[in-house]
Amino acid sequence: MRLLLIACFALFLNACAGPQLRGTGDLGLIIERASGHVTLVNTTARQPYARIGGLGDLSHASAVYSRDGRYAFIFGRDGGLTKIDLLEAKIVKRIIQSGNAIGGSISQDGRIVVAQNYKPGGIKAFDSETLELLAEVPAEFAPGQFSKVVGLADTAGNKFAYALFDGGEIRVTDFSNPRQPTTQKFPAGQQPYDGLVTPDGRYFLAGLFGEDGVAMLDLWQPEKGARKILENYGRGQEKLPVFKMPHLRGWSVAQGKAYLPAIGRHEVLVVDVATWKEVGRIPVRGQPVFVMARPDGRQIWVNFAFPDNGKVDVIDTLAGKVTHRMEPGKAILHMEFAPRGEHVWLSARDDNKVLIYNTENFAKLGEIPAESPSGIFFTSRAVRTGF
Amino acid sequence: MSTSNFIFGLFFLSTVAIAGEPDVARQKELVHLVRQDCGSCHGMTLKGGLGPALLPENLRDKPAEGLAATIYYGRPGTPMPPWKAFLSEAEAAWIVDKLMTEFPE
């Protein structure tokens, strides 16, 4: 009887020590680029709850999420691919998949994680459960010549669209048979520097660095090929120097328009997504890097390349112009909105903190210490195409 | 003047004396600029990214003057912009010298 009591007591203790149940919809992570750490955060409490190290070179690192929002896949510059469990706050698996990488993406069904690589140039697909290599697609654009890959984005049907910086192409690789992918190639223009897929998954855009314009491919009608939009927006004017490449993602689309960074001009270009014609240009205070719509599309937040990287401009999409200007900190590298956009988190690299602002009245709500913070990624990305 | 300040002063004078090197505070700024801002294309560890790697073994066969000119004037036809608004030619030469030997953390 006494033994039985002890056994019951042990069971009771076990039950108490078990993990507390919780969802992941209000979690996220901050990349600490210089020290190979990520800080895990709660966007409801607006506080960090764990910190994980040992992720290698995280300069220019980015993250995507599993469908359930529990696991983050972090792509490091050094080719590291790390799977993190946000609930248990630990590394589940880590591999070095290439020599030099620039981000990645996750398939529509959540089963395939694809990394895009500079060296060796190409993409690699991994099983999201085990990180086992499924297939490798080299970005060979001429015999023996391999391109750096940019702009990788997930699209419908486990297809991934991306662009070749050195090869001047858009490619679409179909992983519906994950170990035997097939690839379509489309001439795009000179030096695509990044790409995006529109939130509906229909259009892939590749921003061009080597010429004024953006290459656009209709993924519903790829047989029509890529065409140029925003051609010659500089009209032969001398470009201003670009001290950091802009970043494109599906966040650029709001209210039926795409808001895109001009290259070598201190402007945001506005394109009507129905006609793909330029409908406006909005002057801003530097070379735009991230041009990000608040999830409801009412505001567009813009940060800038060096030496204007302490500034942030906010465009009101109804007014069609910048209505709020701020200097929130030193070296604002990235911005991330709360899932429904009431707050925005800004990483201030050279202040070693992340700043949180109310997007309605621009009041500062708090800050979180982080060592050289760069990317901020919330689990709400898990359910969005092209994130 | 405290002893440590005096020693620092001597050190400061000696670094300026060597071929017009930038002073210690400026060196720190330049190292930060290279690692963080040049690093957005060349990688924070200088192993390359959209731009080429800048480690000693990558630069060994290249003339230092040409590399300094690339920093100062940029390289047309590539994404490498001119940095002349933010540093002097002597500072560009100092950066190249450090890149070719061992770049400070």
Side-chain angles (χ1 to χ4, degrees), chain A residues 123-143:
Chain A
I123 62 172
K124 282 185 178 179
F126 300 88
D127 183 307
S128 62
E129 198 61 40
T130 61
L131 298 191
E132 178 202 354
L133 179 68
L134 297 171
E136 187 170 354
V137 184
E140 189 174 25
F141 62 96

Side-chain angles (χ1 to χ4, degrees), chain B residues 49-64:
Chain B
L50 199 62
L54 301 178
L55 298 172
E57 60 262 36
N58 310 114
L59 303 178
R60 196 179 299 135
D61 302 330
K62 300 189 166 64

Side-chain angles (χ1 to χ4, degrees), chain A residues 33 57 100 118 148 243 350, chain B residues 32 36 44-45 48-50 82:
Chain A
R33 69 198 296 269
D57 179 358
N100 198 317
Y118 279 167
K148 299 181 186 94
F243 294 104
D350 291 352
Chain B
H32 184 82
Q36 300 296 336
M44 197 173 53
T45 54
L50 199 62

Side-chain angles (χ1 to χ4, degrees), chain A residues 33-35 57-60 77 100 118-119 148 150 165 191 193 209 241-245 306-307 309 349-350 372, chain B residues 32-33 35-37 39-45 47-53 77-83 85-86:
Chain A
R33 69 198 296 269
S35 64
D57 179 358
L58 291 184
S59 56
H60 210 294
R77 170 71 96 183
N100 198 317
Y118 279 167
K119 214 185 284 172
K148 299 181 186 94
V150 297
F165 176 77
Q191 295 175 322
Y193 64 87
F209 184 85
V242 178
F243 294 104
K244 183 176 178 174
M245 283 287 178
F306 176 88
N309 55 8
R349 182 193 68 203
D350 291 352
S372 286
Chain B
H32 184 82
L33 180 81
R35 290 227 173 253
Q36 300 296 336
D37 295 303
S40 43
C41 282
H42 297 283
M44 197 173 53
T45 54
K47 287 180 188 159
L50 199 62
T78 77
M80 179 66 183
W83 293 83
F86 311 104

